[in-house]
């Protein structure tokens, strides 16, 4: 099953990124801000290219009650919490990322935690979001993280998940660690991310009896994401112009098998844990 992406809620995310950056500038002017790069980045690159789809797609969904962000880009939880759309807790494996966002948004409940061993009781949350994360967890960690998300969701709770897909499932390896000590070395190279075929998406991530509420596959019309990051840091100066290139750059596809070799797309899944509850 696939569906057209429909209107994406990227505009309020961009506006919230600018608000965070401007607040940081005001604190910096009073000598109360320390982490300059994070605040400047919020102004230069309010949304990265693929996030126009991923965060914009999730942001248009309804949220209420107790909500958990599992290591997604924190802009989403910060925006939703500021709008009163749920009571948000956001986790990340990296303490530096948590400290960066504590300075950007002191009101957000931020904690250092591993998605493979969430420090929350069973059934703690009405909703969970996990955007562009699960593909970066090496080995069987992706399946472990999915089991942990299931555990902390209340019956009837919904997981909103995005991850990378390709015609053929494969791991992307790089030469240098991207995630510091958390990086996994395999055969002398460093694991960066997994790209799932439709078969492996079901085999690895959907082992538990989730109720599928939505499944959407999309691709970039033009490879803006790769070109933008290949030209960094100079391309960061063009970040405010990204809406011109990204807002309409996503096209629905019927499945990963239709993607050309050497390219990848993204899947959005809304998965409900069966049972009576808020979903």
């Amino acid at each position: 099953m696939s569906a057209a992406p429909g209107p994406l809620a990227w505009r309020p995310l961009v506006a919230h990124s600018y608000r965070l950056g401007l607040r940081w500038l005001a604190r910096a002017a009073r000598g109360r801000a320390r982490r300059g790069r994070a605040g400047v980045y919020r102004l230069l690159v309010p949304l990265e290219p693929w996030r126009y789809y991923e965060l914009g797609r999730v942001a248009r969904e309804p949220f209420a009650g107790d909500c958990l962000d599992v290591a997604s880009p924190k802009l989403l939880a910060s925006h939703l919490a500021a709008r009163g759309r749920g009571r948000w807790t956001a986790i990340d494996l990296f303490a530096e990322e948590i400290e960066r966002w504590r300075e950007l948004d002191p009101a957000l409940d931020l904690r250092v935690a591993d998605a493979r061993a969430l420090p929350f009781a069973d059934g703690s949350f009405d909703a969970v979001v996990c955007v562009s994360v699960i593909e970066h967890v090496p080995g069987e960690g992706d399946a472990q993280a999915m089991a942990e998300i299931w555990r902390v969701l209340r019956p009837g709770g919904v997981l909103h998940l995005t991850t990378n897909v390709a015609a053929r499932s494969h791991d992307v390896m790089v030469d240098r660690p991207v995630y510091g000590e958390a990086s996994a070395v395999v055969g002398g190279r460093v694991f960066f991310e997994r790209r799932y075929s439709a078969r492996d998406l079901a085999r690895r991530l959907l082992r538990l009896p989730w109720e599928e509420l939505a499944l959407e596959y999309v691709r970039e019309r033009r490879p803006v994401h790769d070109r933008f990051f290949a030209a960094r840091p100079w391309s960061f100066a063009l970040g405010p112009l990204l809406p011109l290139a990204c807002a309409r750059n996503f096209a629905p596809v019927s499945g990963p098998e239709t993607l050309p070799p050497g390219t990848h797309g993204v899947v959005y899944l809304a998965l409900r844990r069966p049972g009576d509850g808020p979903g």
Side-chain angles (χ1 to χ4, degrees):
M1 177 176 64
S2 65
L8 301 175
W10 60 266
R11 288 184 179 85
L13 289 161
V14 168
H16 187 66
S17 183
Y18 283 135
R19 281 193 294 272
L20 291 173
L22 290 172
R23 286 179 200 162
W24 175 87
L25 283 179
R27 291 198 301 274
R30 298 193 299 269
R32 298 179 181 175
R34 294 171 297 144
R35 296 174 179 268
R37 291 179 59 187
V40 171
Y41 194 74
R42 292 271 56 88
L43 295 169
L44 289 179
V45 189
L47 276 184
E48 295 169 358
W50 259 114
R51 308 299 179 246
Y52 281 83
Y53 172 74
E54 293 177 301
L55 298 188
R57 179 61 185 84
V58 176
R60 82 182 206 207
E61 293 298 309
F63 289 97
D66 298 312
C67 303
L68 174 66
D69 161 25
V70 177
S72 310
K74 307 297 178 290
L75 182 67
L76 178 62
S78 176
H79 161 68
L80 294 172
R83 291 290 186 94
R85 295 171 59 190
R87 297 177 294 274
W88 283 87
T89 300
I91 71 151
D92 202 282
L93 182 61
F94 302 105
E96 183 178 354
E97 179 71 3
I98 291 296
E99 288 304 313
R100 181 181 299 118
W101 271 94
R102 279 181 178 149
E103 180 149 327
L104 286 169
D105 186 358
L108 191 60
D109 182 2
L110 292 152
R111 309 185 193 185
V112 177
D114 190 329
R116 296 165 292 188
L118 294 172
F120 306 108
D122 296 358
S124 293
F125 297 99
D126 299 299
V128 175
V129 300
C130 186
V131 173
S132 188
V133 173
I134 207 79
E135 67 269 21
H136 297 293
V137 187
E140 288 297 308
D142 53 356
Q144 294 167 9
M146 291 295 291
E148 279 291 276
I149 291 170
W150 173 282
R151 180 183 66 78
V152 302
L153 266 176
R154 291 169 183 147
V158 177
L159 164 64
H160 301 271
L161 172 78
T162 75
T163 192
N164 290 344
V165 293
R168 180 182 60 84
S169 188
H170 62 284
D171 292 349
V172 177
M173 311 299 287
V174 294
D175 295 324
R176 298 180 180 179
V178 177
Y179 299 115
E181 295 180 357
S183 300
V185 178
V186 181
R189 302 200 73 201
V190 180
F191 173 83
F192 174 62
E193 70 177 21
R194 181 171 290 113
R195 296 177 180 176
Y196 298 93
S197 65
R199 177 179 177 275
D200 267 5
L201 192 71
R203 183 177 67 87
R204 298 185 67 90
L205 303 186
L206 305 179
R207 298 176 183 179
L208 294 166
W210 295 99
E211 179 186 344
E212 185 182 290
L213 303 179
L215 170 65
E216 298 174 6
Y217 294 109
V218 299
R219 62 170 176 85
E220 281 189 303
R221 300 179 192 273
R222 299 177 303 279
V224 176
H225 184 93
D226 287 346
R227 291 174 181 172
F228 180 77
F229 282 100
R232 63 182 178 183
W234 311 112
S235 57
F236 291 172
L238 301 176
L241 300 179
L242 280 175
L244 300 176
C246 297
R248 300 181 181 275
N249 195 38
F250 306 104
V253 294
S254 58
E257 65 280 358
T258 66
L259 295 168
T263 69
H264 77 280
V266 160
V267 63
Y268 163 71
L269 282 159
L271 302 170
R272 183 175 182 266
R273 178 174 173 173
D276 296 332

